[in-house]
């Protein structure tokens, strides 16, 4: 089976998490750039990456790379690529996105228009056609220019991978599913440890954690644009990978995952989302203020996305809110706390400096992932571990 170069875009600052996921799937990493991990895989790898990757935004199939500093060079570079190997004569193709960073060619609309023209020229020659019906499967093209190097890809995913299909209802300022999964993976949390999100909103952190605990592949209940690419990916491969994913699910596990929010409507929405994800029986959701949160057990985890105060009227409440977070945390015995927030004075009002602090871009917003580390639980005896 033919091998391809596939690229998984991910959040800036979380490339290492995405890289580990791809490596764990069994694929060879060929390049890591800012917000992108490239790896080698076959057609089955396209299916597996889309269905199993929790932290990637999409899976892109690389058609080629070349340098271009003029629109003529761009046109000739695109025309030289073997488009007929990827897009059939009835394929629907368009340039869905062009991104340019530190490059001489910087107008996305001009880049998109020239790329499409060059693709048509190439395919006219190869297919001996003067007109393309474009009534078959869709092949959306994405172009990236970085320091005048052009990377040409076709998107195998369609709707971004953060759209797992479970989140119909969202709270204000929700965190994406892919970012939530990546942040959980940055912590040492495992399914046998308590996890609480005191600002659960639409439930993304608890739901992603429960899906990990139950080994539910994030792409199991959605569709991908490349499912229609029968010229490149036999339908049977999709069925095989879905069967592989279904065989790995174990929803009868025992976990202690909790989500709280002060807004009753938001808690109700979170329950609905968890139900759609198939993990509502694994999460306890409750309306509760952060000041009222307590837990009798030790060695738990708080992983949360507290309010940032992006609106002016909310900013006034932030010092008191983060003071309450600090008090709540001090009342817990030997817990660890992980918070993502853009609030610069978070540590000051929590009343403790984070043990680790990681800068992460949430879209265009610079945020910090503050990590307050509690002690590790004592090692269990061997018979308990085997149990």
């Amino acid at each position: 089976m033919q091998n391809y170069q596939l690229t998984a875009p991910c959040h800036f600052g979380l490339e290492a998490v995405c890289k580990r996921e791809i490596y764990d799937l069994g694929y060879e990493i060929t390049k890591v750039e800012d917000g992108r991990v490239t790896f080698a895989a076959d057609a089955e790898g396209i299916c597996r990456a889309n269905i199993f990757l929790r932290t990637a935004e999409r899976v892109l199939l690389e058609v080629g790379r070349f340098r271009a500093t003029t629109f003529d060079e761009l046109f000739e570079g695109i025309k030289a690529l073997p488009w007929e190997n990827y897009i059939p004569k009835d394929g629907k193709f368009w340039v869905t996105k062009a991104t340019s960073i530190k490059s001489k060619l910087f107008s996305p609309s001009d880049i998109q228009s020239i790329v499409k023209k060059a693709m048509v020229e190439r395919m006219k020659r190869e297919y001996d056609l003067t007109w393309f019906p474009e009534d078959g499967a869709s092949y959306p093209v994405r172009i990236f220019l970085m320091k005048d190097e052009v990377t040409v890809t076709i998107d195998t995913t369609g709707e971004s991978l953060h759209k797992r299909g479970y989140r119909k209802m969202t709270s204000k300022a929700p965190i994406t599913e892919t970012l939530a999964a990546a942040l959980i993976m940055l912590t040492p949390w495992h399914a046998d440890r308590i996890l609480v999100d005191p600002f659960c909103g639409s439930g993304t952190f608890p739901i992603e954690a429960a899906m990990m605990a139950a080994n539910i592949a994030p792409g199991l209940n959605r569709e991908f644009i490349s499912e229609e690419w029968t010229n490149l990916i036999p339908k049977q491969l999709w069925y095989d990978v879905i069967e592989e994913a279904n065989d790995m699910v174990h929803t009868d596990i025992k976990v202690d995952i909790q989500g709280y929010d002060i807004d009753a409507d938001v808690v109700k929405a979170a329950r609905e989302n968890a139900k759609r994800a198939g993990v509502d029986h694994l999460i306890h959701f409750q309306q509760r203020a952060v000041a009222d949160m307590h837990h009798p057990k030790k060695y738990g985890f708080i992983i949360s996305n507290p309010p940032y105060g992006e609106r002016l009227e909310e900013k006034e409440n932030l010092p008191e809110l983060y003071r309450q977070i600090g008090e709540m945390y001090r009342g817990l015995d030997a817990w660890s706390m992980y918070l993502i927030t853009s609030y610069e004075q978070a540590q000051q009002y929590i009343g403790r400096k984070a043990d680790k602090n990681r800068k992460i871009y949430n879209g265009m917003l610079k945020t910090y992932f503050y990590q307050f580390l509690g002690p590790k639980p004592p090692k269990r005896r061997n018979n308990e571990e085997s149990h």
Side-chain angles (χ1 to χ4, degrees), residues 11-14 173-176 179-180 183 186 205 304-310 322 339-347 356-371:
H11 281 272
F12 283 97
L14 294 171
I175 191 165
T176 66
L179 179 54
L183 294 177
L186 274 180
F205 273 125
S304 196
N305 173 38
Y308 305 166
E310 289 306 298
Y322 281 80
L339 303 176
I340 180 169
T341 177
S342 65
Y343 186 44
E344 301 272 354
Q345 289 149 299
Q347 297 173 101
K356 289 183 180 176
N357 177 9
R358 196 178 183 122
K359 194 189 294 179
I360 289 162
Y361 280 87
N362 185 2
M364 298 307 290
L365 185 67
K366 183 171 73 175
T367 62
Y368 302 93
F369 191 46
Y370 294 112
Q371 303 167 56

Side-chain angles (χ1 to χ4, degrees), residues 211-375:
M211 286 176 73
M212 286 179 198
N215 221 0
I216 299 171
L220 199 49
N221 295 310
R222 54 157 289 170
E223 294 174 339
F224 305 97
I225 205 163
S226 52
E227 285 177 60
E228 303 305 314
W229 296 4
T230 48
N231 60 318
L232 296 178
I233 309 171
K235 276 279 189 198
Q236 189 58 44
L237 281 184
W238 287 104
Y239 300 138
D240 292 347
V241 176
I242 288 165
E243 187 180 351
E244 178 192 355
N246 275 319
D247 287 347
M248 292 165 74
V249 174
H250 49 95
T251 52
D252 54 348
I253 50 156
K254 292 279 181 284
V255 290
D256 188 346
I257 299 173
Q258 301 171 30
Y260 303 131
D261 203 282
I262 200 162
D263 185 330
D265 290 336
V266 161
V267 171
K268 188 180 171 195
R271 280 197 191 104
E272 290 294 315
N273 290 339
K275 197 171 181 180
R276 264 188 298 276
V279 293
D280 51 317
H281 64 297
L282 299 175
I283 307 169
H284 173 67
F285 285 111
Q286 194 178 336
Q287 182 188 4
R288 186 185 284 192
V290 66
D292 299 331
M293 195 206 129
H294 45 80
H295 203 291
K297 291 186 180 170
K298 296 175 73 157
Y299 307 116
F301 282 74
I302 288 168
I303 304 179
S304 196
N305 173 38
Y308 305 166
E310 289 306 298
R311 290 208 292 271
L312 268 177
E313 66 271 19
E314 291 172 348
K315 270 207 164 42
E316 303 162 7
N317 304 326
L318 288 185
E320 178 55 28
L321 180 70
Y322 281 80
R323 258 195 295 271
Q324 288 177 7
I325 292 172
E327 279 173 31
M328 171 270 295
Y329 182 51
R330 282 188 288 279
L332 294 166
D333 188 1
W335 279 50
S336 298
M337 179 166 72
Y338 298 82
L339 303 176
I340 180 169
T341 177
S342 65
Y343 186 44
E344 301 272 354
Q345 289 149 299
Q347 297 173 101
Q348 178 189 333
Y349 290 109
I350 286 168
R352 175 180 160 183
K353 193 174 188 304
D355 298 290
K356 289 183 180 176
N357 177 9
R358 196 178 183 122
K359 194 189 294 179
I360 289 162
Y361 280 87
N362 185 2
M364 298 307 290
L365 185 67
K366 183 171 73 175
T367 62
Y368 302 93
F369 191 46
Y370 294 112
Q371 303 167 56
F372 302 88
L373 309 178

